[in-house]
Amino acid sequence: MKGPSEGAGAVLWDLDGTLADSKEYHWRSWVKAMEEAGHTVTEAQFLASFGQRNDTILGEWLGPNADPGQIARVGEAKEAYYRDLVKSGGITPLPGAAEWVRHLHEEGWGQAIASSAPKLNVQVMHSALGFSGLIEILVAAEDVSRGKPDPEVFLRAASELGVLPQRCVVVEDAEAGIEAANRGGMRSVGVGDGEVGAADVVVQSLADLPQDTFSKLIDRG
């Protein structure tokens, strides 16, 4: 890991729902994996789980009698189905996402994906979105011991980039992610119609962000 640089700035991106909308792929994958395990999942349960780690999700869905082995098997099956869908169906960045990633890269900002998803998923999406060479650090579920709203995933990404937390801006679409950014001493941008009102800046779409948003947030920090 690099030593923290006081002058550098970095943007830490959530992935699902922020850079790309893969909700339909996740839903289809969960339905299939849960059916194979002899369980059902409702759309309301699915929507309430977004942004959480699989061990947390399945601990609730499978009930108190589920053992760690079953949780692991169902989670691994779901993620394998999900990756197959991304590879076969492709995925496109949300409006404004690709433009911002390229612009920040050209401006010399550090960038990382900091996600609750498994590492293989993050890598597959990173490649499918065309962000190789633009976003250099990928931090995923296996890299941390505590999921959002704990700030560990963002602090780990900042450390790997060599940027102090107060020089980082988190971009998130979920309440847990905004809380994690706040707890980590970072500025934040909330995107979409989720519970992101606690963010420093809230927009419906990344395409709506003013060009000076990130520099202003870092200066304010």
Side-chain angles (χ1 to χ4, degrees):
M1 296 183 186
K2 304 174 185 177
S5 169
E6 294 196 20
V11 176
L12 312 182
W13 298 98
D14 174 55
L15 184 51
D16 285 311
T18 302
L19 288 172
D21 184 2
S22 55
K23 188 178 295 182
E24 178 64 22
Y25 287 168
H26 282 293
W27 168 242
R28 289 163 57 185
S29 301
W30 274 125
V31 168
K32 185 174 182 180
M34 290 290 283
E35 283 180 350
E36 290 182 348
H39 295 264
T40 59
V41 57
T42 67
E43 189 172 4
Q45 287 176 306
F46 166 69
L47 293 175
S49 75
F50 235 60
Q52 299 177 17
R53 288 161 55 110
N54 283 357
D55 51 0
T56 301
I57 295 170
L58 289 168
E60 294 182 8
W61 290 359
L62 297 178
N65 295 324
D67 62 75
Q70 182 186 20
I71 289 173
R73 287 191 298 274
V74 176
E76 288 167 4
K78 178 266 173 181
E79 301 307 345
Y81 294 142
Y82 171 79
R83 289 190 292 271
D84 286 344
L85 287 172
V86 173
K87 291 175 183 176
S88 61
I91 194 164
T92 56
L94 282 167
E99 291 81 2
W100 268 111
V101 167
R102 294 190 189 96
H103 174 73
L104 291 166
H105 176 73
E106 291 168 359
E107 292 291 314
W109 288 74
Q111 295 187 82
I113 288 174
S115 173
S116 299
K119 182 74 102 179
L120 283 175
N121 290 26
V122 175
Q123 291 171 339
V124 167
M125 288 186 69
H126 179 251
S127 176
L129 289 167
F131 291 157
S132 300
L134 300 174
I135 299 179
E136 59 264 46
I137 298 296
L138 308 178
V139 181
E142 298 92 328
D143 299 316
V144 297
S145 57
R146 299 175 299 278
K148 303 169 188 176
D150 191 280
E152 184 181 5
V153 68
F154 294 132
L155 294 172
R156 172 69 180 265
S159 178
E160 292 202 19
L161 285 167
V163 179
L164 295 170
Q166 60 266 34
R167 303 289 299 174
C168 293
V169 180
V170 167
V171 188
E172 266 279 359
D173 75 315
E175 182 179 18
I178 297 299
E179 181 181 343
N182 292 339
R183 288 170 60 181
M186 302 175 181
R187 296 295 179 179
S188 57
V189 173
V191 183
D193 53 11
E195 299 295 326
V196 293
D200 294 292
V201 175
V202 178
V203 290
Q204 185 63 35
S205 165
L206 288 171
D208 300 329
L209 272 181
Q211 286 294 309
D212 58 355
T213 297
F214 293 103
S215 57
K216 279 190 172 180
L217 285 172
I218 290 295
D219 289 344
R220 195 193 328 171

